[in-house]
Amino acid sequence: DGGITQSPKYLFRKEGQNVTLSCEQNLNHDAMYWYRQDPGQGLRLIYYSQIVNDFQKGDIAEGYSVSREKKESFPLTVTSAQKNPTAFYLCAVGRFQETQYFGPGTRLLVL
Amino acid sequence: EDQVTQSPEALRLQEGESSSLNCSYTVSGLRGLFWYRQDPGKGPEFLFTLYSAGEEKEKERLKATLTKKESFLHITAPKPEDSATYLCAVQANNFNKFYFGSGTKLNVKP
């Protein structure tokens, strides 16, 4: 953290609802990433963006969508198509192909 | 297939009892190996980046080393505040993404 903010800290989703997780950075890094963390598993990449107005799918993109309209912001939408959304979501930033720095995370729970 | 395996899954130490955490990897051309510390409910905190076999880096009681097949995170005379989950990640030369291990949960008792 220290320049990477994620909000909210906790998010509750109802059945069939889309929810959006925010990630903002003031480190002036081009690359931004979204990961999902489940207990006992390594971090899994959902989406990443190397530059404004461009993003790529990661390993588990189904049921998620992103946008990158500004360098500072990379919001993640968890759609109703994601059937098992309960997890800890982490945003990371960095210079492309170099060390990634993580935000504080958002915990998503299903009601 | 690119893969990262961390061992042990959990480690309990007495304060002052030194030990090592292991990160074994298979990757087609290593660009970098990264160590992070993660406290419960928080995002991972960056510790070290290693780029080539033989490289070592130190920070307080932690020392990371790298060979062609694995990395070790050595913890010397740990304190209770070193208790956390330690994550290892690798990046291959020809891919944009990091591959993460599932972590080692370290508990240091006073």
Side-chain angles (χ1 to χ4, degrees):
Chain A
D1 54 14
I4 306 168
T5 58
Q6 290 187 242
S7 62
K9 186 172 183 179
Y10 295 97
L11 185 57
F12 297 91
R13 194 190 90 162
K14 294 180 181 179
E15 199 76 33
Q17 185 181 39
N18 293 352
V19 293
T20 298
L21 286 62
S22 170
C23 178
E24 303 276 335
Q25 57 116 351
N26 62 4
L27 302 175
N28 200 36
H29 287 317
D30 287 315
M32 298 186 73
Y33 308 80
W34 275 107
Y35 290 90
R36 170 180 172 139
Q37 187 174 37
D38 295 281
Q41 296 190 38
L43 277 66
R44 292 182 291 167
L45 183 65
I46 304 172
Y47 269 98
Y48 66 96
S49 169
Q50 302 172 32
I51 196 168
V52 174
N53 292 322
D54 183 60
F55 48 82
Q56 307 295 326
K57 291 182 179 180
D59 298 317
I60 55 165
E62 185 174 351
Y64 300 96
S65 66
V66 294
S67 62
R68 186 83 187 276
E69 298 177 0
K70 300 187 298 182
K71 187 175 185 178
E72 301 80 16
S73 178
F74 191 40
L76 174 74
T77 297
V78 184
T79 74
S80 57
Q82 173 50 245
K83 298 307 178 187
N84 183 25
T86 298
F88 191 46
Y89 290 86
L90 289 159
C91 174
V93 307
R95 290 190 175 82
F96 185 57
Q97 292 191 326
E98 296 186 9
T99 301
Q100 296 181 13
Y101 301 91
F102 286 85
T106 292
R107 188 164 299 279
L108 176 60
L109 300 166
V110 177
L111 294 176
Chain B
E1 179 182 325
D2 296 335
Q3 191 171 337
V4 179
T5 303
Q6 290 188 247
S7 62
E9 289 185 14
L11 181 62
R12 298 180 69 179
L13 300 173
Q14 287 296 130
E15 184 172 1
E17 180 187 1
S18 301
S19 188
S20 298
L21 282 55
N22 178 263
C23 173
S24 298
Y25 64 90
T26 55
V27 65
S28 49
L30 180 71
R31 180 177 179 86
L33 185 140
F34 306 84
W35 282 100
Y36 293 86
R37 168 194 170 126
Q38 186 175 24
D39 292 302
K42 298 190 175 181
E45 173 190 349
F46 170 70
L47 294 173
F48 304 109
T49 304
L50 302 167
Y51 291 107
S52 57
E55 188 175 1
E56 299 182 352
K57 289 197 176 169
E58 288 188 67
K59 179 181 180 180
E60 296 180 354
R61 294 177 292 281
L62 300 177
K63 179 180 177 181
T65 62
L66 180 65
T67 72
K68 289 186 177 180
K69 294 186 176 182
E70 58 191 350
S71 176
F72 291 94
L73 185 65
H74 306 279
I75 303 177
T76 302
K79 298 181 177 182
E81 52 261 43
D82 294 322
S83 297
T85 296
Y86 290 85
L87 301 175
C88 169
V90 299
Q91 185 181 33
N93 275 327
N94 57 340
F95 284 105
N96 303 327
K97 56 187 181 180
F98 284 28
Y99 296 91
F100 280 85
S102 54
T104 293
K105 186 174 183 179
L106 175 65
N107 183 14
V108 182
K109 305 195 79 176

